[in-house]
Amino acid sequence: MKAVKRNFLNVEENIRLNKINNFQVSRYFNPSDFNLEDKLNLHFDYSEGLGAKYIRILAVYIDTSKSMIPYEGNEFTEEFKLTLPVGGITKKNALSVSLKLKEDTKLLWKIGIQIRQEINILIQLTVS
């Protein structure tokens, strides 16, 4: 068996979306890495590279009440689309999205960030 290397969400990081990563990244979420109550706030403070129309955020939740029996759904997703300003993201027009950490028996465990247009872009992400 081969070990799987997972990239976990950091408090602050620069995310580059380009052809190499197919214009998307995934970050796993470990609640013990943060001091949060019931929401995870993602703040997009800065961007470099213009032309993308929106950023797609995909929150993946795992249902802890379900077993791993085949065909029993244990992953649920919630999608957000953040429209990018024409001149890019700056501190003046920063974008934010709030994700629930827990809903009933579902826990946030993975976050996907992607753009659909094939445009190289660098995004500064801050978590609170």
Side-chain angles (χ1 to χ4, degrees):
M1 239 185 224
K2 187 176 179 181
V4 176
K5 183 177 180 336
R6 292 192 169 111
N7 292 323
F8 285 90
L9 188 64
N10 295 314
V11 173
E12 190 171 307
E13 67 178 296
N14 291 328
I15 296 175
R16 185 165 301 280
L17 302 171
N18 55 28
K19 191 173 186 174
I20 295 169
N21 59 19
N22 201 23
F23 304 97
Q24 61 187 358
V25 295
S26 292
R27 295 291 183 262
Y28 289 86
F29 176 71
N30 183 358
S32 61
D33 289 347
F34 302 93
N35 185 16
L36 303 171
E37 291 187 22
D38 61 340
K39 290 195 177 208
L40 173 71
N41 297 309
L42 301 177
H43 304 282
F44 298 91
D45 301 321
Y46 171 76
S47 71
E48 204 177 83
L50 303 174
K53 294 180 182 163
Y54 64 88
I55 301 172
R56 180 177 177 245
I57 310 298
L58 188 67
V60 181
Y61 295 85
I62 190 162
D63 192 341
T64 57
S65 69
K66 305 275 179 154
S67 67
M68 297 299 275
I69 297 172
Y71 310 115
E72 186 171 14
N74 62 351
E75 282 189 8
F76 298 87
T77 60
E78 188 173 7
E79 182 179 334
F80 301 90
K81 287 185 179 177
L82 301 176
T83 304
L84 290 171
V86 175
I89 304 169
T90 62
K91 288 283 185 186
K92 193 190 292 186
N93 60 11
L95 301 174
S96 296
V97 66
S98 293
L99 307 176
K100 295 176 194 168
L101 296 180
K102 182 178 180 181
E103 187 175 332
D104 300 325
T105 58
K106 298 172 188 77
L107 301 174
L108 178 67
W109 81 291
K110 186 172 155 183
I111 300 164
I113 301 170
Q114 66 181 195
I115 56 172
R116 290 285 185 207
Q117 300 84 359
E118 294 186 357
I119 297 168
N120 293 341
I121 189 168
L122 175 70
I123 302 169
Q124 182 181 15
L125 172 68
T126 308
V127 176
S128 66

